Amino acid sequence: MSLFGTTSKFGSNGSSVGTFGSAAADHHNPMKDIEVTSSPDDSIGCLSFSPASLPGNFLVAGSWANDVRCWEVQDNGQTVPKAQHIHAGPVLGVCWSDDGSKVFTASCDKTAKMWDLNSNLAIQIAQHDAPIKTVHWIKASNYRCVMTGSWDRTLKFWDTRSSNPVMALQLPERCYCADVVYPMAVVATARRGLIVYQLENQPSEVRRVESSLKFQNRCVAIFKDKHNKPNGFALGSIEGKIAFHYLNVPNSVKDSFTFKCHRSNRANSSGSQDIYAVNGMAFHPIHGTLATVGSDGRFNFWDKDGRAKLKTSEPLDQPISACCFNHNGNIFAYASSYDWSKGHEFYNPKRKNYIFLRNAAEELKPRNGK
Amino acid sequence: MTVCQFFLQGRCRFGDRCWNEHPGARGAGGARPPPASQQLSASNRRGWNASSQRYSNVIQPSSFSRSTPWGGSRGPDQASFGSSTGSGFGAAQRPFASLSSGDQDEQKLLEGIVKDVEVWESSGQWMFSAYSPLKTQPPVAGFTDISPEELRLEYHNFLTSNNLQSYLNSVQQLITQWKNRINQLKTINKSNRVALLPNLNNGVNQAAPALGFGSTQARMFGSSFVGSSKSVQNFSFKTSPGFAPATSGSPSVFGTLPALGAVPSAGSAVSASTPAFGFGKPQITSAASFSFKTPAASGFGSAGFSAAPTSLAGSPFGAAMAPAFGGGTSVAGFGSPGSQSHTAFSKPSNNIFGSSSIPTSLPVSNVISATDKVLFTPKDQLTQEELEQFQSKKFTLGKIPLKPPPVELIHI
């Protein structure tokens, strides 16, 4: 029975859910989602699904164990580990090329590598002076390149054949997160910096946006309008808040809004909350609804146009550090691993890290009042 | 609407009932802090542009037209620029008014900060984050932005080099710095505002490591004073050649040097809140631009901005004035950059900037001790020339006093 695309109860399938964590108070998988086999040995920093040009679904994950792993996700939910390659430092960003043949990985070893999946060879294509946090593939009408954002405050663009960047842009501060939906790119930096770029012809800075949030930027994701053109982005901060910024829209100031999420109300005192960081965000490729994951160990689905929360998950016992949709929006992957939100005291290297897959076709449909 | 002349001088008899425009007061009273900032900037933009012309008539047209390019050439930053100066005007003109609308706004802001800080502390939120009380302003000084990944990487690096203890120590240090800063901010209230500046000064000196200035700092040097939005910062940079070598990513620099370099990133958010200038706070842009204008205009503000505390977005002058004078040297510091174009400040001592240890050398202790008399100078402490200046109808550029006027000469 094909798992993805129908609302089957995969908890009852023979996949690995249920065998693990059958102990009494185990909340490592309260949503009973499919667990990816051979998950990384340390925290997962980034997840990415293969693009539509590749038949089937392939998931890559970069982890703090310095490795990048690739699985094939079959229709019945089985995950088959396919390959992995190792960096010299923790891997903070992964991205696929548009034809699905290469995976770009960015690491704390200050390099980014291009991993050819067919030959299983990885060559270095980028170099920075500090760990590289984000890597994105840009396919423009007249060029193709890899964009890397690093803590050395630069944004560099690499043609994979040359060891010098084709372009290097200065950032006001360390790059914390970025997103690319051609022709728009958004980079969020330390000290609440937000810069929008346009990528047509050649990447150039369009403007600096004033962040609506008061605290550190954590993740950013571009959304599209109904004509499939990028027209704004969502920004998540460590403060359990998300801000939507509309760009190139007549009422952009009025339409932009923020909302609180990933907070929990304490039982004892009213009004006091635990505030958690928003670790990752992803827009559903078909419905345009938003999924967010946070340090509270929950994922949420939101409809930004209807300004409604579609779903909140049960809390996992670990923070959720990354999330991603596959190319047609049927699978939602999220990684349960420690994100260092409470410092080193809560780090347990022996703790198992999970990646879960969930059927996302139905739950992310927007509300009717769109 | 025409701008009310009397309001600008601090003596409008009609107050809210006045039919003319009171810049800085329009959006200030009765609004919540976030909308207030927008309204403030909107109204102040009008107010500022109008009043700048007025001031140019009042003092000396030629030098004012030279100074207005700061406001005029800002372009997109005009709004925020206007807000800082506008509110500065409002407060500077009536620094001694007990509860002007500017003060109410500031009070709300302070309350907002206190609440934010309390929530931050109690909620288990990530500590090492930059914080801006109002969205449009650059972050409050004393908080460093460290992402969890950076901290974790440090941990792993220290682990591999078997040096975990030093990691733990530095984390502990960061945590203590953060806690101290939080406690300082929690105790802000109206009556402590004057004491806030010394607190903030102290906070600067405790600034967390590795904020980094980036190459933006390099850009600052050598650009002309007037003109671009960065120019305001420039002037402060220029005077302190010692700053030039501040390279990105050198932690110690931040502690000692004003984070002037870091300002450009927050360039648009010119608000009165940033400390300033001498204190190595990142918001130098706003402080600088802010201070520059006011002194020219009122003569009072000169001290004000040097001491402008980070979190006082509303009317830095009100509070800033006082302590700033205690550190009269800090004002002087401003003067030295002025050697380029702004004659008003060509006089004050150049030594402040000459020694690159400005932030730490700022006489914090002086400021603290002067809390009582900080708003006014007793007559006997003024030189004859300064006294003449205060007594005359308008200030002469080049002779604007650096100390606040004596109580006796104030007419409200």
Side-chain angles (χ1 to χ4, degrees), chain A residues 160-221:
Chain A
T160 57
R161 295 161 295 207
S162 152
S163 60
N164 286 328
V166 293
M167 190 169 204
L169 295 175
Q170 196 62 30
L171 295 172
E173 253 282 1
R174 300 153 277 168
C175 171
Y176 276 172
C177 46
D179 194 16
V180 167
V181 172
Y182 187 78
M184 182 194 279
V186 174
V187 174
T189 70
R191 301 182 62 76
R192 300 171 60 248
L194 265 187
I195 309 145
V196 181
Y197 298 88
Q198 69 83 24
L199 302 169
E200 252 170 286
N201 225 346
Q202 68 169 22
S204 61
E205 183 179 320
V206 169
R207 63 162 129 154
R208 309 237 156 146
V209 178
E210 195 51 55
S211 164
S212 307
L213 303 173
K214 297 183 188 170
F215 287 92
Q216 185 183 114
N217 299 330
R218 186 101 178 99
C219 53
V220 72

Side-chain angles (χ1 to χ4, degrees), chain A residues 258-277:
Chain A
T258 69
F259 61 96
K260 297 182 186 166
C261 54
H262 295 289
R263 296 183 174 198
S264 63
N265 288 322
R266 298 208 187 122
N268 45 2
S269 51
S270 64
S272 107
Q273 292 178 312
D274 289 315
I275 296 183
Y276 297 94

Side-chain angles (χ1 to χ4, degrees), chain A residues 42-43 64 90 92 108 131 133 151 153 170-174 176 189-192 208 210-218 238-240 253 258 263 266 271-277 279 338-345 347 349, chain B residues 38 116 119-120 122-139 143-153 155-156 167-168 171 210-216 219 248-249 262 264-265 268-269 282-283:
Chain A
D42 207 340
S43 299
W64 280 76
L92 300 181
C108 292
K133 180 69 169 60
W151 290 344
R153 297 148 186 233
Q170 196 62 30
L171 295 172
E173 253 282 1
R174 300 153 277 168
Y176 276 172
T189 70
R191 301 182 62 76
R192 300 171 60 248
R208 309 237 156 146
E210 195 51 55
S211 164
S212 307
L213 303 173
K214 297 183 188 170
F215 287 92
Q216 185 183 114
N217 299 330
R218 186 101 178 99
I238 51 132
E239 189 207 356
V253 171
T258 69
R263 296 183 174 198
R266 298 208 187 122
S272 107
Q273 292 178 312
D274 289 315
I275 296 183
Y276 297 94
N279 284 328
Y338 186 52
D339 59 356
W340 216 253
S341 48
K342 302 228 172 301
H344 63 275
E345 293 101 342
Y347 173 49
Chain B
Q38 292 161 6
D116 275 344
V119 168
W120 191 356
S122 64
S123 61
Q125 187 178 302
W126 181 251
M127 290 186 223
F128 307 119
S129 160
Y131 165 59
S132 299
L134 288 189
K135 309 181 284 194
T136 51
Q137 288 164 17
F143 290 117
T144 98
D145 224 2
I146 306 181
S147 69
E149 286 78 28
E150 285 169 301
L151 201 62
R152 180 172 189 168
L153 188 65
Y155 173 84
H156 281 275
Y167 168 80
L168 297 175
V171 170
L211 247 220
F213 300 66
S215 50
T216 50
R219 267 196 281 144
S248 59
S265 60
S268 59
Q283 302 76 354

